[in-house]
Amino acid sequence: MKRTATAVTCAATLLLAGALTGCSESTSGEGNGPTSSSASPSAPATVDTKSAGGLGDILVDDKGNTLYLFLADKKNKSNCNGACAKAWPPLLTKGAAEVGKGVDKKLLDTTKRSDGDEQVTYNGHPLYYYAGDTEPGQTNGQNLDQFGAEWYVLDTKGKQVES
């Protein structure tokens, strides 16, 4: 319970900081990251793997930013929009996503979001960043209960990793 409250406070602080600095929903479109909005990307996304201590090898982007699944999603269908997508930005791609080391090409795909953007999926799970991860390698979103369901990092088989 304390972890959820801390995460909510962190996400609220990030959103407030963006509002106070005059940030808008659009970005330069240069890559995705844990604090980027859901602006359309200008290049294919890459899914890679990285060792995350006790969590094992997990999915990350090409910069080492942790990727998450949302238990409220259906197979290849995102249920995270609006405020949810601000706290949990989707991993978007222009064209087919690219495979990094340790990633199974057969499990990597995309799905069309309600706004028309292409979101990367792995083993049927739409992939997201967490705004509370401010540096590559952080896993602050692991096992959080937000926006009606829990969030988890994924292993190389596309399964949720329990803490």
Side-chain angles (χ1 to χ4, degrees):
M1 189 63 91
K2 182 178 179 187
R3 184 167 165 87
T4 301
T6 301
V8 169
T9 301
C10 181
T13 301
L14 286 170
L15 291 173
L16 179 60
L20 293 175
T21 59
C23 292
S24 68
E25 191 170 324
S26 64
T27 66
S28 66
E30 292 186 26
N32 290 306
T35 59
S36 72
S37 75
S38 55
S40 294
S42 59
T46 299
V47 176
D48 210 339
T49 60
K50 183 175 185 174
S51 177
L55 297 174
D57 287 341
I58 63 168
L59 298 184
V60 297
D61 70 3
D62 59 335
K63 295 177 182 84
N65 296 305
T66 302
L67 298 170
Y68 297 88
L69 65 80
F70 183 38
L71 290 183
D73 286 343
K74 303 296 182 213
K75 185 170 178 97
N76 296 313
K77 170 100 171 86
S78 172
N79 285 311
C80 180
N81 298 292
C84 177
K86 288 186 189 299
W88 297 90
L91 174 61
L92 302 177
T93 189
K94 180 173 181 161
E98 297 181 355
V99 178
K101 76 171 176 52
V103 173
D104 185 342
K105 183 175 177 71
K106 294 180 286 193
L107 299 178
L108 191 63
D109 204 356
T110 62
T111 187
K112 192 169 292 278
R113 293 179 54 79
S114 60
D115 62 7
D117 285 332
E118 289 292 322
Q119 183 172 3
V120 179
T121 65
Y122 197 75
N123 195 27
H125 299 289
L127 300 178
Y128 303 87
Y129 296 105
Y130 176 52
D133 289 344
T134 57
E135 296 178 19
Q138 291 182 330
T139 57
N140 296 320
Q142 173 65 1
N143 200 32
L144 292 183
D145 188 351
Q146 294 182 349
F147 299 98
E150 292 179 331
W151 297 82
Y152 293 97
V153 298
L154 295 85
D155 65 18
T156 58
K157 294 180 178 157
K159 304 286 185 193
Q160 75 185 44
V161 176
E162 301 279 340
S163 301

